[in-house]
Amino acid sequence: MGYFHMNMNPAHTDPLSRLALHHLYALDALLQARSVTRAAERLGLTQSAVSHSLRQLREVLEDPLFVRAGDGLEPTPRAAQMREPLRQALHHLGSVLASGAGWEPATGRRAFLIAMGDLHMLTLLPPLLTRLRAEAPGVDLDVRPPPEGRPELGVLQGADLAVAVRSPQVTGVRGRTLFEESFACMVRADHPAVGEVLDLETFLRLDHALMSPQGGGPTVVDTALAAIGRSRRVMLKIGYFLAAPLIVAESDLILTAPRSLADRFAGMAPIRVLPPPLALPPFAVRMLWPERLQEDAGHRWLRELVAEVAGHR
């Protein structure tokens, strides 16, 4: 492994003033593809054009940016550090240029960054992708977990849209309720201790699994039990919504979860879905977006589509 030859320029002018936008897109593509050939294919350019941009970037930034590693390229520490900020900056620029322009879903091309947890990835993404393929084939989605589990923080850090269960009111962030979610209990299909109806005493005798992506804190179930002077044993805490039902399907644990998740897994794993034996208040699932995109035509179209999909989930 060796460094590419560098032609360092001693000038200390503003790097951005010495680079064209296509150089930055080339760098973004190289950081994603780790190959000049694949980056060129992504951008619809020749390999020589991407190589020229890389030479210019190295000269201006005074860093090799990439070194050879096997059949591909490995970013230097500086290039790796630039990866996410650069992608967000280019994403914001695209949003700014699109803002105020007309939007035709059937012919428009645009990428949206969405922050949502794995629960809503499973329940909302499949029908959303079906609609996009049929109505807006030029739209791409980049879906990521919210930073620190906070959807509003994802919006503040560059996401176009976020799906949230609980989120504080934040300046610069708009919101809309998509639907109300209730709870259900899941047990394995042949659970020896659970009959056709789940009563409270059986519920309390069983060991529980708890989906807890953010760690501790009182849960809706424990608060409801405390109100009637009862408690349960949580044998397993797990931070992944999509793993918990599969573990329940192969154990004697019981899991209380959002009804949409339970219904989804009922057709995917050997589990039974039962009503909880105590009253649990429903909760709202909300959509969040940045204030700056409120009047953006393409973003407004996406919001309406997400709301429609959520209403028919």
Side-chain angles (χ1 to χ4, degrees), residues 2-10 54-67 76 78:
Y3 281 89
F4 288 104
H5 171 73
M6 290 184 296
N7 178 21
M8 296 300 192
N9 190 324
L54 181 55
R55 286 194 296 271
Q56 181 69 12
L57 286 159
R58 285 173 172 154
E59 180 179 333
V60 171
L61 298 178
E62 300 184 357
D63 188 275
L65 299 177
F66 297 90
V67 296
T76 65
R78 184 177 183 189

Side-chain angles (χ1 to χ4, degrees), residues 4 6 27 56 95 106 127 186 208 234 236 239 258 264 287 296:
F4 288 104
M6 290 184 296
L27 178 56
Q56 181 69 12
S95 296
M186 285 182 273
H208 289 249
V234 175
L236 172 68
R264 185 80 175 179
M287 172 171 57
D296 180 280

Side-chain angles (χ1 to χ4, degrees), residues 161-247:
L161 204 69
V163 178
V165 172
R166 300 179 187 86
S167 60
Q169 289 191 336
V170 178
T171 301
V173 176
R174 293 267 190 132
R176 170 180 176 179
T177 297
L178 292 174
F179 57 90
E180 277 206 339
E181 179 75 277
S182 60
F183 288 95
C185 293
M186 285 182 273
V187 296
R188 66 182 172 97
D190 56 349
H191 199 296
V194 180
E196 292 299 318
V197 177
L198 178 64
D199 60 72
L200 181 61
E201 295 308 318
T202 302
F203 180 81
L204 295 176
R205 279 198 304 271
L206 296 175
D207 291 330
H208 289 249
L210 169 63
M211 296 181 298
S212 182
Q214 302 309 313
T219 70
V220 172
V221 174
D222 293 307
T223 300
L225 287 173
I228 59 173
R230 308 297 294 270
S231 64
R232 61 175 178 165
R233 180 196 176 196
V234 175
M235 181 182 180
L236 172 68
K237 286 186 178 181
I238 185 168
Y240 307 97
F241 278 94
L242 302 192
L246 298 177
I247 293 171

Side-chain angles (χ1 to χ4, degrees), residues 8-166:
M8 296 300 192
N9 190 324
H12 293 287
T13 57
D14 176 15
L16 195 56
S17 68
R18 299 168 58 202
L19 292 171
L21 185 58
H22 68 269
H23 294 141
L24 300 179
Y25 274 107
L27 178 56
D28 177 60
L30 285 164
L31 286 166
Q32 305 304 318
R34 307 292 181 91
S35 160
V36 171
T37 301
R38 291 193 294 272
E41 290 173 352
R42 286 189 178 203
L43 296 170
L45 300 174
T46 63
Q47 292 183 43
S48 61
V50 174
S51 296
H52 174 76
S53 289
L54 181 55
R55 286 194 296 271
Q56 181 69 12
L57 286 159
R58 285 173 172 154
E59 180 179 333
V60 171
L61 298 178
E62 300 184 357
D63 188 275
L65 299 177
F66 297 90
V67 296
R68 294 197 183 278
D71 295 332
L73 301 175
E74 186 71 20
T76 65
R78 184 177 183 189
Q81 189 177 34
M82 294 169 61
R83 184 176 184 270
E84 287 306 313
L86 176 63
R87 171 146 276 218
Q88 289 187 16
L90 292 175
H91 184 80
H92 282 315
L93 180 59
S95 296
V96 169
L97 295 177
S99 181
W103 170 251
E104 293 294 336
T107 57
R109 291 194 59 83
R110 189 161 174 182
F112 293 100
L113 178 61
I114 300 179
M116 68 168 70
D118 55 353
L119 165 62
H120 297 114
M121 288 183 192
L122 179 68
T123 56
L124 291 180
L125 264 187
L128 179 59
L129 290 173
T130 298
R131 291 288 298 273
L132 288 177
R133 281 194 296 269
E135 300 173 26
V139 168
D140 298 327
L141 299 182
D142 184 352
V143 183
R144 306 187 186 189
E148 303 176 26
R150 297 170 54 194
E152 76 283 356
L153 187 58
V155 171
L156 292 174
Q157 292 184 0
D160 296 298
L161 204 69
V163 178
V165 172
R166 300 179 187 86

